[in-house]
Amino acid sequence: MKEMKGRHKAFLRSTSNINATGRHMVSLPQRVWKEVEWEVNDSLQIDVIKNGMNNNIIITKEKE
């Protein structure tokens, strides 16, 4: 099965962490963050959206 450009299939793992300053760390595959031209240690914003039975997570790079 071929994946659509911009859509990535993955499974959830709890391998992320929190750094010494209390900031959460998120692990994403390199092919995902390279596609959106992000770099390691970029600051990200994660929005959890719950709408009835549909739940979504939106990850965006914070503006500098």
Side-chain angles (χ1 to χ4, degrees), residues 34-51:
K34 286 279 188 184
E35 183 176 323
V36 291
E37 300 176 358
W38 292 351
E39 298 293 332
V40 170
N41 293 324
D42 278 350
S43 293
L44 305 176
Q45 177 177 313
I46 300 173
D47 294 310
V48 177
I49 301 168
K50 293 183 177 184
N51 185 10

Side-chain angles (χ1 to χ4, degrees), residues 7-28:
R7 180 169 291 168
H8 304 276
K9 293 189 176 205
F11 58 92
L12 182 62
R13 300 277 309 242
S14 61
T15 57
S16 300
N17 209 338
I18 298 174
N19 68 9
T21 64
R23 188 145 178 120
H24 295 274
M25 294 180 267
V26 176
S27 177
L28 295 171

